[in-house]
Amino acid sequence: MTTRIGTIFAQEFRLARRNLWVGLATGILGLFAVVLGIFGAGQGAALDADALTLTAASLATLSVYLIPLIALLMSYDSFAGEIERGALALTLASPVRRWEVFAGKFAAQSLAVGVAIVLAFGAAGAFLALSFGTGSDGIAAWLRLMATAFVLGSVFVGFGLMLSAMAGRTATAAASAVGLWLVLVVIYDLALLGSVMAASDGIFASQVFPWLVVANPADAFRLYNLALIETAPVAGIDGLASTLPFPPTAALAVLGLWLSAVLALGIRRTKRIVP
Amino acid sequence: MTQPILDIRDVSLSFGSFKALDGVTLAVSPGERLALLGHNGAGKSTLFKAVLGFLAQGEGTITVAGHRPGSDVARIAMSYLPEVVSFPQSLTGREVLAYFSGLRGASRSEIDGLLDRVGLADAADRRVRTYSKGMRQRLGLAQALIGAPRLLLLDEPTSGLDPVSRHDFYTVIAEAAARGCAVLLSSHGLEEVQGQTDRVAILSRGRLRASGTLAELAAAAALRTTIRVTAKKGHADRLQADLGGRRMNGCRLEIECAPDAKLGLLLQLGHHREALHEIDVFAPSLNDIYRYFSDTKGDQP
């Protein structure tokens, strides 16, 4: 079992490296982190906060868009493409278990996203800390950002693999991945903002709305990071971060729940594939 | 009598109202090579997928090495090469084989030997992207030979290969069969597998129409041999009166006869030596035999 998962893991990780996914993701994330950091350092003095803390806040908001996108791009073709090319039939003809295939792919692609995050945010963080100085709060915020970004990436790798196993064809898988990204990352927030503006006082705004926000894995990631940064300049839906009716760790639990859900669903769909 | 590795008994499979397989019975023993012939959509790939355990089983039973398709024993005993396979372009041939060795729990030390056996030793560390179609197919065959399987399932393995590659391909298959591996391979036509397999089975519209050696099939088809006689000027009428047959034109006569009557007819023609210009004998071709089983009988209920 471990040999088989290890074999699939090794091949998938090698492919992610050879196909330049890791390099590309590292480059994009690193670039954005450094640019945001340099902009943030300018305001840092005025807001009485260090550069790393400020950048962690703005980077959390940006990562919500980038990391799910990178994770979905890396994973959406994983099953569908292999089904179309006939390669999955060969894999499944061997004594491997379906869940082992899913687990190996998931572990490798999550790690690929994770490596990109650690390399990019790690280097950018070190650069910002050395250039503008920081304190223990700043370092803690930055490490929290890296760790939760990795979990967020894993959730969306799981989503991508699940959609890929469900679709069975590359074009369908791509379309559903884009659709999922739009719904969870863009439309969900807009819809919630619209509804809370329509009913700005009452039970909905104070009791239902926060739970609806945190139910979305992308928002949960952002809320967790922002809620723990006191000096974060937040606006719009993120204003909720300072008035949460539950502890920030609840957002972590939501991420964990989503992760288990997509893994369970993904493995179920993988078992139904007819290659 | 050795126990067959692959035993297919009375298997029927339907997709909705379409009957993809209809009462197919087939067995392959160790060391035996069986060619499964059929046109596109005859049910060959469906049968393979059923043997691999990818399809929910319909009626009938399939056993591989005595076990259910998809079970561990069956999957370890058998390996598979589909008609079109594209390995990840950015991996090397050696990496592809290492992957399947890992999945099959086979030793990596046999990879070099396998690459050598299919003639890819020199290209082992090149990316699959740079391989020709023949090389990719040979890599696929090497993949199928990992872990010394007892049953090889090859789905149209040589379609699109040039004659030299095809010959090399069948040499490797023959070596595997000589070591006791059972081989089930599918193909479009009889010519391609002539002399390369021990038995032939013909599948048409989901039903098995015939199975046996080529000689047995030819005998069962009992297709008539055609003798075309070209007579010298003015002798054609006399020849036809004596031998029968159809007149094609002023001097040509076509006589059809059963295969075993051919010799007698030729001897009889010898008596008319002075009237003959030319004799051509057309024995039924492999294509005629294949068409006889896959088309003619297919029209019967």
Side-chain angles (χ1 to χ4, degrees), chain A residues 206-257:
Chain A
S206 61
Q207 298 300 319
V208 184
F209 175 69
W211 289 103
L212 280 179
V213 173
V214 84
N216 180 331
D219 286 328
F221 160 81
R222 183 164 52 189
L223 276 184
Y224 174 75
N225 278 287
L226 294 182
L228 291 175
I229 298 173
E230 285 161 14
T231 50
V234 288
I237 207 163
D238 298 330
L240 184 63
S242 44
T243 57
L244 279 183
F246 42 75
T249 40
L252 280 189
V254 168
L255 277 178
L257 282 178

Side-chain angles (χ1 to χ4, degrees), chain A residues 126-259:
Chain A
F127 166 76
L128 294 174
L130 290 178
S131 310
F132 306 106
T134 187
S136 59
D137 280 358
I139 292 173
W142 199 258
L143 289 178
R144 267 199 310 271
L145 175 72
M146 279 167 58
T148 48
F150 171 61
V151 179
L152 180 69
S154 301
V155 170
F156 276 86
V157 164
F159 265 126
L161 286 175
M162 179 185 78
L163 293 176
S164 195
M166 210 187 286
R169 285 173 47 225
T170 294
T172 321
S176 45
V178 170
L180 181 84
W181 184 81
L182 276 176
V183 168
L184 285 188
V185 175
V186 183
I187 296 174
Y188 192 88
D189 282 7
L190 288 180
L192 278 189
L193 263 185
S195 55
V196 84
M197 280 161 95
S200 56
D201 38 44
I203 295 289
F204 179 77
S206 61
Q207 298 300 319
V208 184
F209 175 69
W211 289 103
L212 280 179
V213 173
V214 84
N216 180 331
D219 286 328
F221 160 81
R222 183 164 52 189
L223 276 184
Y224 174 75
N225 278 287
L226 294 182
L228 291 175
I229 298 173
E230 285 161 14
T231 50
V234 288
I237 207 163
D238 298 330
L240 184 63
S242 44
T243 57
L244 279 183
F246 42 75
T249 40
L252 280 189
V254 168
L255 277 178
L257 282 178
W258 273 107
L259 190 59

Side-chain angles (χ1 to χ4, degrees), chain B residues 143-188:
Chain B
Q143 167 276 133
L145 292 171
I146 285 171
R150 293 159 69 195
L151 172 64
L152 276 177
L153 283 185
L154 311 171
D155 196 356
E156 296 186 21
T158 57
S159 68
L161 291 190
D162 61 82
V164 177
S165 307
R166 189 176 294 175
H167 178 264
D168 294 345
F169 202 92
Y170 280 118
T171 309
V172 177
I173 293 174
E175 284 168 12
R179 281 193 307 275
C181 179
V183 180
L184 177 62
L185 66 90
S186 69
S187 178
H188 278 307

